[in-house]
Amino acid sequence: MKKSLLFFALTVASYGAIHAQTTTSSVTGVVKQSTGQTTTGATIKITHQSSGATFSGSADANGHFNIANLQDGGPYKIEVTYLGQKPLIYDNVFLKAGEALQLNPVFSESSSTNLDEVVVVGRGLIDIAEDRKTPIAVSTITREVIEEKVGTQDITASMVNTPGVYVSGQAKGFGESSMTTRGFDQSNTAFLLNGQPINGMDNGRVYWSNWSGLTDIASLVQIQRGLGSSKLAISSVGGTVNFVTKSTDMKEGGFVKTSIGNDMFVKSTIAYNTGLMKSGFAVSAMLTGWKGNGYMDKTEGAGQNYFLSVGYKVNEHHNLNLMVTGAPQWHNQGYTSKLSNFLQYGKRYNDNIKTINGIEMNPRKNYYHKPVANLNWDWTINDKSSLSTVVYASMARGGGQSQRNDSKINPNYYLAADVNNHQWFGIVSNYQRKLSDNLNLNAGFDLRDFKGENYRQVTDLLGATSVTHSGNVNIGTVTTLHTYSTNPWKSWRDKPAAAEDRLAWDYDQIIRYAGLFGQLEYAKDGFTAFVQGSVSEQHNSRKDYFLYTYGTGDSESVNNLGYNAKGGVSYTLGHHTLFGNAGVYSRQPYQTNIFMNYKNDINQNAVNEDILGLEAGYKFSSRYFDLSVNAYRTTWENRVTGSSKNASAADVKKYNPTNDPTILSEGQYIYLSNYGVKQVHRGLELDFAARPLKGLTVKGFASIGDWKYEGNATTIVRNENRVELAVENRDLTGVYVGDAAQTTFGLGATYFIVKGLSIDADYRRFERLYGALPTNSNETLRLPNYDLTDAGVSYKLHVSPKNALSFRVNVNNLFNTFYISEATSNNTTTSTTTYWKGIDTSNYVLVGWGRTWNASVKLTF
């Protein structure tokens, strides 16, 4: 009996001891932002620092999380991460048996430039500022801001509150906006999509109508003004803009979103992510459809955006991700007109509208489909080295339609499209190596192959049975009765026009590019320094099937060697950082500037452009206030520039004295090519963010520039058929560079009234804005200063732990300001006596949008 009692007592004691040893604890809490708004999808990772065991979970739609079944004791390391935010880390945390540790992490907005969690693939290729410790002048725009601010506009609208950036042209139609950075246009600002260059290889331009899907798929946009952190030998004279798209999401869910706006704009989007499945695969897909009438008269448009991302985690060392995206679209276009027309008929006036065969229509139309596919491979070789590679391809089809007339005596009107098809393949690879605790190495290569196909084809005979056109030396006079579609899907799918249906010109552009790059960076005790360099070889050639007999249309090959070299230092002490960077570029000229008059004639003036950039800056960062101040000076020599404008009456008189309508008529396009230009850009930039009260964020920016031309320039003037009209020499010393306001400043605020409900407003002021360099003057036209105010309201309602409804309303140009955003002439002594704010109203200008609005509702599940 005693033995039985003893055995029973020992059993109970043993069970109690075992039970005590296996009593578990948990970590629970709510993740919020500094505004007081809860986050959705934050990741919580808990690591036992002795054993290395890890536990993880994520916050629900209300920001709540609960990580259970943790052993008591410790020490534990708790890491909380959220998209676009710097991770919050809690070290040496000890848990008490059977108790729940309450942890309420708060992300401050000042940490939003840490992008490690955004870049799921291609970490070694996407040159975000955080990849290099030496600072640069940078602004980062998160996905939430993109969704709130863009509305019915191009993605460039998300950048308008950035110092040194000027956005205009949206009034011309869907996707027609343009942006300048520190006074340099889009062809001289580098744009990268997940590390892939997207500037046109032939002319450096970016057409936002081809990239409207970025609004839906971008996880963030980072604008690096000036030298930037990109390691590629790219055209980052003004700066570099990185678009980081949604990599395959690592959590299951999706959303449905509908937007409406002024002028019958409607847009619908559906998206879904499978999350990381047991097989190692993860899939994200999205489809968008949109249409609208446009702000300017008869600038209708419609299109779709699609996105598919398939990721595969092979093992701990290898990750693969295949992305396919595209934005097929068509839209009618507006352009500049006489200021007097806008004053008489209103801001929506469109000079492109014609009456053809008794029908009022807009013959100017853009249609394009440019699908892009890229395959990313991330290889973690070991704890000190990694390799990232992207292989990409683009097969584009489309063009720009306009009204044509090929007869000098009897007008023979028809509609035709200037086609620009291309195929583009490339590979970029970057090797990263940690040489020591303080020294890191990057090295890689960049290969690109581009072929562009250019010709004109008939899209509408306008009631005629055929069109006759001369000029093809192989076929002679061409008579065609075939028409080709302007539907972006059909134009991409159908066969290109036959040789006998190609009018005006028919040629291919071939560009091949190879580059090597490398970077070393040293960092220790708050001091950092880097050196970076690249060298590239570019091949340009041309095949013409229209102006040369078969077998003789191959141009000479033009090969140019280019390079860049950059370096910088910085020192950080507490909240303060000082830095300085310098760089030199020798950049090859674009294909469109190498061959003159759209022939195989090689332009001897098109030599490498020389760029020298200097910049210095100061940054301050704290929980309640962030400040950035930058100074820069950029000189650019041997520059080749190009622009277009509507021909004025004075232009017609000057360049077409016989008044031949097939050469030049008022309102038709004139193309300008300027050689030997030198520009000097210098300025100061400031931006700040303050969080003085709970739920309130105040942001501001300012930019003061001094951008001028220096020396003599040669200008070649051509008409729409690229026929040379004149060659002019001009002294441009002291002339202000146009197309962007040289002084800008703004202030914005966001305030959370109650949980989920916020209001925001942004004010911007533009001064010292000049028009483009005209043909009829050695001065650029100074335009009136103007102010714009935008406002919005957001509300997020959590209908369940995993589902939320989001509402957003925007009003842009709240006070319906009448303003001129750009000009292409400088008429100061004409017969007119009409002026508006000191400007002769015969000048050709573009007036910005008046008051517009948009609203959206989004269901997240």
Side-chain angles (χ1 to χ4, degrees):
M1 181 67 177
K2 290 182 179 180
K3 290 183 178 179
S4 298
L5 290 172
L6 178 61
F7 177 77
F8 177 76
L10 291 172
T11 301
V12 171
S14 299
Y15 176 80
I18 293 171
H19 180 73
Q21 291 174 0
T22 58
T23 300
T24 59
S25 305
S26 63
V27 177
T28 185
V30 182
V31 185
K32 295 184 178 181
Q33 300 181 42
S34 60
T35 60
Q37 185 180 24
T38 57
T39 67
T40 300
T43 300
I44 297 89
K45 180 181 178 182
I46 302 176
T47 304
H48 194 281
Q49 291 176 285
S50 299
S51 67
T54 60
F55 309 84
S56 61
S58 59
D60 61 22
N62 296 309
H64 294 277
F65 66 91
N66 183 20
I67 312 297
N69 299 319
L70 302 171
Q71 298 297 319
D72 62 285
Y76 285 96
K77 176 184 177 182
I78 303 175
E79 185 175 7
V80 185
T81 57
Y82 182 58
L83 188 71
Q85 302 285 335
K86 183 178 180 180
L88 300 176
I89 298 175
Y90 305 83
D91 274 319
N92 298 314
V93 177
F94 287 85
L95 304 179
K96 295 182 180 180
E99 294 185 6
L101 173 65
Q102 184 72 22
L103 192 68
N104 296 316
V106 177
F107 286 105
S108 65
E109 196 166 347
S110 62
S111 67
S112 63
T113 57
N114 189 303
L115 311 176
D116 187 61
E117 288 303 307
V118 176
V119 185
V120 180
V121 294
R123 280 189 173 90
L125 298 169
I126 302 175
D127 290 311
I128 56 177
E130 291 295 314
D131 285 342
R132 195 176 69 200
K133 296 179 181 179
T134 308
I136 56 175
V138 64
S139 299
T140 301
I141 302 165
T142 63
R143 180 164 59 187
E144 290 78 9
V145 173
I146 296 170
E147 284 193 0
E148 290 179 354
K149 301 295 186 182
V150 171
T152 62
Q153 305 172 87
D154 299 333
I155 196 169
T156 51
S158 66
M159 312 178 204
V160 296
N161 297 311
T162 304
V165 172
Y166 183 75
V167 178
S168 67
Q170 183 74 60
K172 297 177 183 177
F174 293 106
E176 292 285 336
S177 68
S178 61
M179 63 172 287
T180 65
T181 309
R182 291 183 173 176
F184 299 109
D185 65 17
Q186 291 181 165
S187 63
N188 302 295
T189 299
F191 296 91
L192 303 174
L193 173 61
N194 289 349
Q196 168 191 334
I198 64 174
N199 294 75
M201 286 197 68
D202 54 341
N203 56 21
R205 296 176 184 171
V206 177
Y207 300 94
W208 297 111
S209 55
N210 301 330
W211 301 100
S212 61
L214 288 175
T215 300
D216 302 306
I217 67 175
S219 297
L220 64 90
V221 179
Q222 188 178 84
I223 307 166
Q224 302 172 4
R225 302 183 299 279
L227 297 171
S229 65
S230 174
K231 295 176 283 292
L232 304 182
I234 50 180
S235 55
S236 53
V237 182
T240 304
V241 179
N242 280 284
F243 298 103
V244 181
T245 66
K246 296 177 181 177
S247 298
T248 305
D249 286 23
M250 295 303 167
K251 61 181 183 299
E252 184 181 5
F255 70 86
V256 177
K257 182 178 179 180
T258 297
S259 304
I260 59 174
N262 55 280
D263 301 292
M264 303 299 293
F265 180 85
V266 179
K267 179 179 179 181
S268 298
T269 304
I270 183 170
Y272 184 72
N273 313 305
T274 65
L276 185 61
M277 298 179 285
K278 292 182 179 180
S279 61
F281 281 94
V283 179
S284 294
M286 185 178 63
L287 181 64
T288 296
W290 65 270
K291 64 179 180 179
N293 290 340
Y295 184 82
M296 267 183 134
D297 291 337
K298 295 192 180 301
T299 53
E300 303 89 346
Q304 300 81 39
N305 309 322
Y306 56 86
F307 171 80
L308 177 66
S309 181
V310 180
Y312 179 53
K313 187 174 182 179
V314 182
N315 51 42
E316 293 301 318
H317 295 282
H318 299 277
N319 276 291
L320 298 172
N321 197 94
L322 173 66
M323 184 197 76
V324 179
T325 187
Q329 60 78 41
W330 67 267
H331 67 274
N332 291 337
Q333 297 172 298
Y335 203 65
T336 59
S337 181
K338 291 180 180 179
L339 175 57
S340 58
N341 288 328
F342 289 112
L343 293 171
Q344 181 178 357
Y345 302 112
K347 292 186 284 288
R348 296 176 181 270
Y349 176 78
N350 188 353
D351 221 12
N352 286 337
I353 297 175
K354 311 284 185 184
T355 299
I356 302 174
N357 294 339
I359 300 174
E360 187 178 72
M361 63 182 297
N362 182 0
R364 294 279 181 180
K365 182 180 185 179
N366 174 276
Y367 63 100
Y368 220 74
H369 185 187
K370 185 176 184 174
V372 175
N374 63 48
L375 176 64
N376 276 276
W377 170 38
D378 286 330
W379 177 20
T380 303
I381 301 171
N382 51 46
D383 60 350
K384 291 186 177 181
S385 60
S386 63
L387 179 71
S388 292
T389 304
V390 60
V391 180
Y392 60 89
S394 173
M395 302 285 287
R397 301 286 186 271
Q401 176 187 269
S402 61
Q403 181 186 13
R404 313 303 312 174
N405 170 28
D406 292 337
S407 175
K408 297 181 180 181
I409 302 173
N410 298 314
N412 180 21
Y413 292 110
Y414 61 95
L415 301 184
D418 294 342
V419 174
N420 180 11
N421 302 332
H422 77 237
Q423 58 184 29
W424 186 355
F425 305 97
I427 179 172
V428 183
S429 188
N430 180 44
Y431 173 74
Q432 295 177 306
R433 174 77 179 181
K434 187 175 183 179
L435 300 177
S436 69
D437 290 340
N438 308 114
L439 189 63
N440 289 284
L441 167 71
N442 280 269
F445 63 87
D446 172 16
L447 303 177
R448 308 175 213 171
D449 185 273
F450 175 92
K451 179 182 178 181
E453 187 180 31
N454 303 267
Y455 56 89
R456 180 177 290 170
Q457 64 187 18
V458 178
T459 56
D460 193 332
L461 291 169
L462 297 179
T465 57
S466 64
V467 166
T468 300
H469 186 90
S470 60
N472 190 318
V473 300
N474 294 294
I475 302 176
T477 299
V478 174
T479 299
T480 179
L481 47 78
H482 297 126
T483 61
Y484 294 85
S485 175
T486 59
N487 180 295
W489 286 99
K490 289 183 178 180
S491 67
W492 191 81
R493 180 196 63 199
D494 295 346
K495 291 182 179 179
E500 58 269 20
D501 289 333
R502 300 186 179 191
L503 314 179
W505 54 76
D506 182 8
Y507 64 91
D508 293 341
Q509 298 180 93
I510 297 93
I511 305 171
R512 295 187 175 96
Y513 176 95
L516 298 173
F517 57 84
Q519 174 181 288
L520 277 172
E521 183 172 41
Y522 175 84
K524 184 178 182 181
D525 299 331
F527 173 79
T528 68
F530 82 96
V531 291
Q532 185 183 105
S534 69
V535 61
S536 60
E537 179 80 12
Q538 181 167 293
H539 160 93
N540 295 83
S541 61
R542 192 175 182 277
K543 292 186 176 182
D544 198 307
Y545 312 100
F546 195 90
L547 299 175
Y548 302 86
T549 57
Y550 293 130
T552 65
D554 290 5
S555 73
E556 294 181 27
S557 294
V558 178
N559 298 293
N560 291 299
L561 183 71
Y563 65 86
N564 70 34
K566 295 187 283 188
V569 296
S570 75
Y571 182 69
T572 300
L573 180 62
H575 299 291
H576 309 274
T577 300
L578 288 170
F579 68 90
N581 299 313
V584 292
Y585 289 76
S586 178
R587 194 185 76 176
Q588 301 98 327
Y590 288 122
Q591 169 100 4
T592 51
N593 295 319
I594 292 175
F595 297 102
M596 298 195 310
N597 306 322
Y598 290 80
K599 298 180 181 179
N600 290 346
D601 304 335
I602 296 174
N603 178 10
Q604 301 302 322
N605 293 317
V607 297
N608 276 24
E609 301 170 5
D610 299 320
I611 301 106
L612 171 65
L614 304 170
E615 60 187 26
Y618 166 76
K619 294 179 181 290
F620 174 84
S621 180
S622 71
R623 180 176 179 181
Y624 298 104
F625 185 73
D626 301 324
L627 173 69
S628 176
V629 181
N630 304 286
Y632 65 90
R633 188 179 191 274
T634 303
T635 59
W636 192 355
E637 298 186 64
N638 301 327
R639 185 177 180 196
V640 179
T641 66
S643 61
S644 62
K645 58 167 285 188
N646 287 112
S648 65
D651 291 325
V652 174
K653 183 178 180 180
K654 181 177 182 180
Y655 300 120
N656 185 19
T658 62
N659 204 27
D660 184 344
T662 65
I663 295 178
L664 186 65
S665 298
E666 187 173 356
Q668 289 185 341
Y669 287 168
I670 290 179
Y671 296 94
L672 311 175
S673 298
N674 305 299
Y675 302 101
V677 179
K678 179 179 179 180
Q679 293 179 215
V680 178
H681 292 224
R682 55 186 179 180
L684 293 171
E685 299 167 339
L686 176 148
D687 60 310
F688 70 87
R691 294 164 289 277
L693 301 172
K694 183 179 180 181
L696 174 64
T697 301
V698 179
K699 293 185 176 182
F701 72 91
S703 176
I704 301 174
D706 182 38
W707 313 326
K708 293 179 180 178
Y709 296 105
E710 285 188 7
N712 295 315
T714 299
T715 300
I716 299 177
V717 185
R718 301 181 177 92
N719 66 9
E720 288 190 349
N721 288 322
R722 276 60 172 186
V723 175
E724 185 177 300
L725 302 179
V727 178
E728 302 171 340
N729 294 298
R730 294 186 286 175
D731 182 3
L732 300 178
T733 302
V735 176
Y736 284 99
V737 175
D739 291 332
Q742 302 204 17
T743 298
T744 62
F745 54 88
L747 191 66
T750 301
Y751 180 65
F752 279 83
I753 302 172
V754 295
K755 180 180 178 180
L757 177 62
S758 67
I759 58 173
D760 57 87
D762 294 290
Y763 164 81
R764 297 183 295 280
R765 171 79 171 177
F766 303 92
E767 299 181 355
R768 298 172 59 239
L769 170 63
Y770 297 86
L773 187 64
T775 58
N776 58 343
S777 174
N778 279 18
E779 294 290 336
T780 48
L781 178 65
R782 181 164 179 171
L783 303 176
N785 303 336
Y786 67 94
D787 310 86
L788 294 177
T789 302
D790 303 332
V793 179
S794 297
Y795 180 60
K796 188 173 186 179
L797 174 66
H798 295 282
V799 295
S800 73
K802 293 186 177 181
N803 301 326
L805 273 172
S806 302
F807 303 88
R808 175 69 181 178
V809 176
N810 281 321
V811 179
N812 296 317
N813 193 0
L814 181 63
F815 301 111
N816 201 28
T817 301
F818 186 100
Y819 66 97
I820 300 173
S821 62
E822 53 186 89
T824 58
S825 64
N826 187 9
N827 299 332
T828 55
T829 56
T830 66
S831 58
T832 181
T833 57
T834 304
Y835 291 86
W836 181 80
K837 294 189 176 181
I839 296 177
D840 188 321
T841 59
S842 68
N843 278 292
Y844 277 78
V845 303
L846 184 70
V847 171
W849 277 4
R851 184 187 297 114
T852 59
W853 64 273
N854 61 82
S856 65
V857 57
K858 180 180 180 182
L859 172 63
T860 305
F861 56 89

